[in-house]
Amino acid sequence: MRQLSDERTRAVFEKLSKYIGANVKILIDRPDGAYCFRERKDRVYYLSEKLASLASNVGPDNLLSAGTCFGKFTKSNKFMLHITALSYLAPYAQHKIWVKPSAEQQFLYGNSVTKAGLGRITENTQRYDGVIVYSMSDIPLGFGIAGKSTTDCKHADPMAIVCIHQADIGEYIRKEDTLT
């Protein structure tokens, strides 16, 4: 595993700050020690620096992964978050959307959230902000991009998309053959 280049580090932090803002610092400087991001085969892993130093002793052919996979870089060098990062990002989310029970299943099947399925939305959410999607019982379900701002949602058509789907916990089942 190797350190990320400056360009890739910037891309990862920009994507993370889209969802959790300045709380990215909390991910790095944790009370239980310092954490870092490492890269292997275009995938970005989040792990403690202690584990990273131990992993450096293992040969690259023998090391499959270490830590939690936060996402991967596409062929066009854009960073895409994986759903495995959800449990680390959800407590620090700046913008949240809660979906009604009737819309949970549709979101978990990979569909975007419509106004009819919207339960609540945090104040001051702007269009194209990164949002964490929750069930009404505060269980994080996935990531999305706000399709409308908080004020626009109040006057939107019931079939208007308020959250564009990015990733959800249902991907484990839908893509179990392709996820590695």
Side-chain angles (χ1 to χ4, degrees):
M1 299 187 94
R2 60 188 165 107
Q3 289 186 349
L4 278 75
S5 65
D6 290 340
E7 178 184 321
R8 287 192 167 202
T9 301
R10 190 176 315 108
V12 169
F13 284 166
E14 283 175 3
K15 181 65 87 168
L16 291 176
S17 66
K18 188 172 190 171
Y19 290 95
I20 62 174
N23 292 332
V24 173
K25 295 174 189 171
I26 296 172
L27 287 178
I28 304 299
D29 298 323
R30 292 177 33 169
D32 58 340
Y35 277 66
C36 60
F37 291 98
R38 293 290 186 259
E39 179 181 8
R40 174 158 167 71
K41 295 185 178 180
D42 288 334
R43 299 202 185 271
V44 176
Y45 295 91
Y46 175 69
L47 63 158
S48 69
E49 287 186 352
K50 183 178 179 180
L51 182 60
S53 67
L54 292 172
S56 66
N57 295 329
V58 178
D61 295 336
N62 297 328
L63 183 67
L64 185 60
S65 71
T68 303
C69 183
F70 254 46
K72 71 174 186 173
F73 282 97
T74 62
K75 292 185 191 288
S76 61
N77 239 8
K78 292 184 180 175
F79 183 68
M80 301 290 293
L81 276 174
H82 280 184
I83 195 62
T84 50
L86 181 64
S87 59
Y88 292 95
L89 302 182
Y92 307 115
Q94 287 186 322
H95 306 291
K96 301 175 184 179
I97 286 182
W98 289 265
V99 293
K100 293 178 181 175
S102 59
E104 278 182 37
Q105 188 172 13
Q106 289 301 313
F107 181 76
L108 295 177
Y109 283 163
N111 297 320
S112 297
V113 179
T114 61
K115 166 76 164 55
L118 178 68
R120 296 187 319 218
I121 186 170
T122 54
E123 289 297 322
N124 301 325
T125 300
Q126 298 300 314
R127 190 172 188 185
Y128 304 122
D129 280 347
V131 294
I132 305 291
V133 179
Y134 285 87
S135 67
M136 289 304 281
S137 54
D138 285 332
I139 298 170
L141 300 175
F143 304 112
I145 302 294
K148 298 206 175 287
S149 66
T150 304
T151 54
D152 292 342
C153 286
K154 294 176 184 173
H155 307 293
D157 180 54
M159 295 309 293
I161 294 176
V162 296
C163 177
I164 302 163
H165 179 273
Q166 294 294 304
D168 64 81
I169 56 177
E171 286 180 18
Y172 283 123
I173 295 171
R174 289 196 315 270
K175 298 180 181 178
E176 75 180 304
D177 292 339
T178 59
L179 290 176
T180 54

